[in-house]
Every structure is written in C-alpha cells, then in structure tokens.
Amino acid sequence: MAITRDEVLHLAKLANLEFTGEEIDRFTRQIGSILDYVARLNEIDTSAIEPTSHVESGSHALRDDALRPSIPREEALANAPESDGSHFKVPKVIG
Amino acid sequence: MSGLAGRTIGEIQSLVASGKASAVEVCRAHLERARALEPRLKAFRALLEAEALGEAARVDRERAAGRPPGALAGVPIAVKDVLCVRGAPATCGSRILEHHVPIEDATCVARLRRAGAVILGKTNMDEFAMGSSTENSAFEKTANPWALDRVPGGSSGGSAAAVAARAVPAALGTDTGGSIRQPAAFCGIPGMKPTYGRVSRYGLVAFASSLDQAGPFGLTVEDVARVLQVIAGHDPLDSTSAPEGVPDYLAALRGGASGLRLGVPAEYFAAGMDKEIDASVRSALRIAERLGARLEEISLPHTGYAIPAYYIIATAEASSNLARYDGVRYGHRARGAQQLVPLYTRTRTEGFGAEVKRRIMLGTYVLSSGYYDAYYLKGQKVRTLIRRDFERAFEKVDVILTPTSPTPAFRFGEKADDPLAMYLSDIYTVTLNLAGLPGISIPCGLTRDRLPIGLQIVGRRFDEETVLRLAAALEAELKFHQHSPPLAGQP
C-alpha cells in the first residue's frame, strides 16, 4: 500500500478532520489505490521540465493602490455564526 | 400566451423585445414548468420565485419606458449553486454552507442581470463541484431527464438537467475538470468551458483556482454563444481574468466548417471506449469532412497522464481553498466547542461530505513535507507536458475533436463507491483545464438505450470563435435538437 493507516491519521490532524476507525480504514484503502494509480507519473522523466502552476491569462495586473470603500461591517458580519455586532466571536484562543 | 417554456433565447428575447410576451409571462411559464418537473428532476437547490418575478417586472417596465432591451432581456437563466447570487443561499451542495447567503453577485451573474436576464434559481451540484454525477450533493440527487434512474453527470448536473428538461433555456455551470462538458454530454445539450481567464471567477466559490472556469449551457450552440457573449471579458475584481477583447460570437457562428483543419487525437479513441460512442463521434467526424473540413490524425502523447496529474493538482488546490471553512466567519459552526482547534475540527467534520474529505486528505498529502516534490511538483511538470502537447498540435490544426465522455450517463450508485472509477469519467475533459483551453460538448447522437452522446470540440486559447463556428456547423447537420428527452414532453 502506498499509504499507511498512521499516515492517514496524521493527515486528518493536518487537515483538521476527524474520522471513525472504520472511515480511517476505508480512506487508507481508497487513498492508497489513488496514489498507486498516480504513481504512473513516475514513468515520465520530468527532470528538465519547468512546472506549470497556472496557465497565464496575460493579466495578473496590479490595480492602483487607491482608497475605496470596503463592505459595511454589518454585511461582513451577516453570515457570521456568532458575533457581537462588531467582531467575529470565537472560543478562547489562549487558555 | 402559452408554450413560452421550451423556447430558445433568441425566440424569448425577440418575443419580449417586441412586446408579444412580457418578461413576467415568460418568467411565470418557466417557474411553473420548473416546479412541475422538480419532484422528478430535483435540478434546483432553490427557485427564486419572488426575486425572479420582480426582475422580470423591471425588464417589462424598462421596455415600457422605451429603454433598449438587453441582449438577454427577460430570458430566465439558472445558476449553479457555486456561483454567488446576492441574497440567495449559495450552498455549493454542502452542509457547511447550507445557510450561507452571499452579499454580492458573482461578476458573471451581475453581467447576466445587466443584459436583462432573470435569475430563476440555483441548481444542484456535487459538493464543492467535486464529482461527476451530482450524487455528491449533500441535499438531493438530480435525475437525468433522458432516464430518471441515471445521473445527469456532474458536477454541474442540476444546470444541465434543468436546461435539457426545458425548465430554463440556459444555465451557468462551472468546469474544473469537465463539470460543464460531461453533464452537457450526459443530458444531450451543448455546454461550454471557455478559456481559462475568459470569464471572471469573482464570486465563483473556489475549488481549484488554476482550473475553475464558469460557462454556459443552452439548448443550442447559438444560445451558448449568446450567454458567453454577455459573461465574457476582463474583470478588475479577478486578477486572472484576461484583458483580451471579446469578439462577436454570434457572427462567428456563421463561418461554416469549410477549410477548417480538425485534429483527431489517437489517444482519445483508445480501446475500452464505449462502441456506440466511438461510432457516433466518428460519424460526426465524417459529417465535418463532408462540410469541407480536413481531418488530420494527431497525437497528444501525455494524455494518459492527465488524470493522475489532475487529481494531484486539483486536490492540492482544494485542500488549500477549503481551509477557509473553519466555522468562524461564515458557514456552519459546530456547537459546544470550548477551544479553537476543536471548533475547526468539529465544524469541518460535521460540514463536509465524504468525497470532499477524501480530496482534502489527498491534497494535504501531496502538499505535505516529504511528498511535495514527488507529487505536487511532479504533477505541475506533467501539466507543462500536457500543455505542450496541445501547443504542438495547434501548430497543425485549428480545432481538436474528441468524445466528451467514455460512457453515456450511468445509473445512480454505479460508481459511487469507487472514487477512481468516477475520476476516470473525466478522462477526455481534464486535459483542457490543465492546458487552460476552451472546449464545448455538443450532442452528436443517441445510444440504443436512447442516452445522449457528446462530441467535444477543443480550441486554441481564447479562440472560442472557431470552436463555436464548427459546433454550429455540425449542429445544423446533426439536427440533434429534433430529439428531446422523455421528460421534456411532459408538463
């Protein structure tokens, strides 16, 4: 297998996700078979090839650094799960 | 006025512009039809009845006031739920955004409105556009109007099904690896992914930012061109949107096929393809030849590496993009967490479905220290090779023709437990996203089971004109729109 159960548990932690034991087993199997399939890329020698991160669309222009109104606070907070009217509220960060 | 649903954009626009029908009447007719179909079709996440009727009334008032009607005046359009419509929930097919109400329109939606279009509803989709069947929606499974026990394709399955069933004349979808073209093929309608950068991504909830692109579905190639005309063009709010001028796509439709050099890539007609699809696509190639186009066998040698490269790149970008769903600023928040990290973890665990979690995990893996070079960097290098394959081919040919999908629409559940089998549905479509190219799927025939077959036409970057030109020429010969799905004939 291309990936172990422990590696999958570690990934879950990195991704801030939790799984049942059964889900971890299933993901280990499924991600393993996807990685086995992906390994076919090793058939190609890419040592002299530049990577493409983005197909350039010819833009990437920077806009002028001009002052513009931003969205009103009420709108910015409109979808907040919890707020005090001027801030997003979260549980204590430092205990 | 009866029979307003089922018409093309051109027909609706001229009825409304001439006053033979009001935009409100057109809107009502489509709302009624959409509502009547919905129990069987489940194409919509929401019908925006009050808003749509209000918009339609505004179109009618403007006409009465003598202002010139927009290019899409009174045309009802459905929008995939991954695109923001101000004031209407944008769930992205996910529990984590179930109650999320965007405060702005996506740029492509704003442009539709400016042209007089009426946003009729939001359509169902695979969660965060991850899937090829729309079965990954957290809410409902959309049916294929041609066979209600089959999937409409995905991830823009709701938009494709809504157009094919004549609930709307056109819809917007998004395409990251085939999510417009494959459902278009499965549902028997044209659907186009424009060049990367042609249509603004502002207000398109990101899945894989270097691959995502919004585009239209319509009942005809002309309708696809009409919608593209409105949504295309540079947007200062999306730094990846291209400054290229937007040509007249309707004029391009009249060019005919004569004199075009059409590339036929051997790798896309490999063994294992469904025989009926092979035969149908080849027969379309012969029609193109008869119309005066010249066929040339070409090779895109790295095609077999596209799916693995795609699933590395797309999952890597998804794992980064979906890190924003943390229960703090918007979306679902898990109850009762006393500390921040458990809040993140529980929110995400409750909010995301299985396929999204699988892709976040895979993306996290290929980006993680020790594996980055072996997977992510390798994938990006292979992306360069795939791009070059196309660049070389386009030195010899003007457009490339392939099947859109290796199979027709499959049954619900058929691939749901095998992620890799599902990923392989995208084998002919992901290459365009990796290379940033425009492509359309047009229906080119039916299988013996009366399931639509899609033909994909691929163009050079920013050359949607030639793609549409050939698509229109073939459409006129194929006459596929004489066929309509069983559901389209029903009220």
Side-chain angles (χ1 to χ4, degrees):
Chain A
M1 260 322 190
I3 191 164
T4 65
R5 199 174 189 280
D6 282 349
E7 282 179 300
V8 173
L9 281 168
H10 177 62
L11 285 179
K13 211 173 153 198
L14 289 176
N16 283 319
L17 290 168
E18 264 168 3
F19 296 103
T20 64
E22 193 195 325
E23 285 173 322
I24 289 287
D25 291 339
R26 188 165 63 240
F27 271 31
T28 305
R29 212 169 46 241
Q30 289 174 335
I31 294 176
S33 70
I34 295 166
L35 291 174
D36 284 342
Y37 175 71
V38 161
R40 69 161 63 182
L41 294 186
N42 295 323
E43 294 165 11
I44 332 174
D45 177 9
T46 52
S47 50
I49 308 295
E50 286 295 310
T52 297
S53 62
H54 226 88
V55 179
E56 292 291 318
S57 51
S59 171
H60 300 288
L62 299 175
R63 65 170 169 80
D64 292 337
D65 187 17
L67 282 176
R68 290 185 309 173
S70 54
I71 54 171
R73 182 185 279 169
E74 313 79 70
E75 289 199 11
L77 290 169
N79 279 290
E82 210 184 337
S83 89
D84 66 0
S86 54
H87 304 83
F88 296 104
K89 279 183 83 172
V90 293
K92 219 192 293 182
V93 179
I94 301 163
Chain B
M1 173 124 206
S2 65
L4 287 170
R7 291 175 185 264
T8 65
I9 291 179
E11 289 168 347
I12 292 171
Q13 206 271 350
S14 74
L15 284 170
V16 171
S18 65
K20 291 198 179 106
S22 72
V24 167
E25 286 172 316
V26 170
C27 182
R28 281 225 170 86
H30 286 87
L31 281 169
E32 272 167 31
R33 180 157 178 82
R35 262 198 310 263
L37 290 169
E38 199 52 15
R40 286 161 290 171
L41 199 60
K42 300 188 176 73
F44 287 91
R45 286 291 313 122
L47 281 171
L48 307 175
E49 306 206 16
E51 299 89 334
L53 286 166
E55 285 282 290
R58 190 177 56 81
V59 171
D60 287 333
R61 279 197 306 275
E62 300 218 336
R63 186 184 166 274
R67 280 190 280 277
L72 300 174
V75 176
I77 293 188
V79 174
K80 187 181 184 182
D81 214 20
V82 74
L83 292 161
C84 292
V85 171
R86 184 184 169 100
T91 69
C92 299
S94 183
R95 291 282 172 207
I96 212 160
L97 287 176
E98 187 170 1
H99 305 294
H100 179 67
V101 181
I103 58 173
E104 287 181 292
D105 279 337
T107 295
C108 53
V109 170
R111 289 185 176 177
L112 289 179
R113 285 197 207 279
R114 239 177 285 144
V118 171
I119 309 300
L120 201 80
K122 303 293 299 287
T123 56
N124 195 31
M125 56 183 282
D126 284 302
E127 184 174 5
F128 285 104
M130 298 179 190
S132 307
S133 68
T134 312
E135 292 169 291
N136 292 336
S137 165
F139 303 104
E140 57 190 358
K141 290 187 185 7
T142 300
N144 189 313
W146 291 84
L148 296 177
D149 59 341
R150 291 181 188 261
V151 304
S155 64
S156 314
S159 286
V163 174
R166 275 67 172 169
V168 275
L172 294 186
T174 61
D175 190 316
T176 305
S179 283
I180 291 173
R181 292 159 286 152
Q182 184 255 22
F186 279 18
C187 292
I189 54 171
M192 183 171 213
K193 180 198 101 66
T195 308
Y196 183 82
R198 182 56 100 184
V199 176
S200 169
R201 290 186 297 113
Y202 187 76
L204 189 182
V205 178
F207 156 16
S209 309
S210 81
L211 305 165
D212 296 343
Q213 184 66 195
F217 294 95
L219 283 171
T220 62
V221 173
E222 182 181 309
D223 281 0
V224 165
R226 284 178 191 274
V227 177
L228 180 63
Q229 193 77 54
V230 167
I231 62 174
H234 182 250
D235 175 13
L237 297 174
D238 172 8
S239 70
T240 62
S241 82
E244 262 81 359
V246 179
D248 182 342
Y249 294 125
L250 284 177
L253 298 178
R254 297 191 287 269
S258 184
L260 289 178
R261 298 168 300 168
L262 316 184
V264 183
E267 292 83 0
Y268 284 67
F269 291 82
M273 195 193 347
D274 181 284
K275 283 195 176 59
E276 291 184 274
I277 290 182
D278 186 84
S280 173
V281 170
R282 284 184 196 281
S283 128
L285 294 178
R286 282 192 297 275
I287 291 173
E289 213 168 12
R290 188 159 45 84
L291 293 175
R294 204 168 71 229
L295 300 187
E296 285 195 39
E297 176 108 352
I298 58 166
S299 175
L300 298 165
H302 295 95
T303 300
Y305 301 106
I307 290 277
Y310 173 82
Y311 277 93
I312 289 172
I313 291 165
T315 59
E317 294 187 20
S319 79
S320 310
N321 274 326
L322 273 61
R324 72 188 64 174
Y325 301 102
D326 55 9
V328 172
R329 290 149 300 156
Y330 43 74
H332 173 72
R333 170 184 287 200
R335 286 178 201 278
Q338 301 298 315
Q339 286 174 308
L340 203 55
V341 172
L343 172 78
Y344 297 156
T345 303
R346 282 162 58 186
T347 293
R348 293 163 62 78
T349 300
E350 291 172 9
F352 291 138
E355 179 61 22
V356 171
K357 288 175 180 169
R358 191 154 41 231
R359 295 204 197 185
I360 290 174
M361 295 280 279
L362 193 58
T364 305
Y365 181 78
V366 301
L367 289 173
S368 62
S369 109
Y371 297 106
Y372 182 94
D373 285 2
Y375 290 101
Y376 187 57
L377 192 63
K378 184 83 185 182
Q380 290 187 320
K381 288 178 169 187
V382 173
R383 184 175 187 181
T384 302
L385 294 171
I386 288 165
R387 212 185 66 201
R388 283 191 198 158
D389 280 356
F390 280 104
E391 283 165 5
R392 238 168 255 142
F394 280 123
E395 286 168 12
K396 290 205 302 185
V397 298
D398 301 308
V399 285
I400 294 172
L401 275 73
T402 80
T404 306
S405 163
T407 66
F410 44 87
R411 289 196 171 79
F412 286 113
E414 204 174 312
K415 301 188 182 187
D417 296 325
D418 184 353
L420 200 50
M422 190 71 91
Y423 297 172
L424 291 170
S425 322
D426 300 333
I427 196 155
Y428 301 138
T429 48
V430 295
T431 45
L432 280 68
N433 301 78
L434 290 169
L437 304 170
I440 195 170
S441 177
I442 60 167
C444 65
L446 288 173
T447 65
R448 277 189 303 274
D449 295 338
R450 291 191 65 77
L451 298 173
I453 297 170
L455 168 74
Q456 178 173 246
I457 306 173
V458 189
R460 295 188 181 95
R461 300 191 61 222
F462 298 107
D463 189 14
E464 284 84 359
E465 284 172 287
T466 311
V467 172
L468 289 165
R469 169 183 163 192
L470 179 65
L474 284 174
E475 179 185 63
E477 292 295 311
L478 290 161
K479 299 189 170 52
F480 184 87
H481 36 284
Q482 288 174 350
H483 306 288
S484 59
L487 207 56
Q490 297 175 24

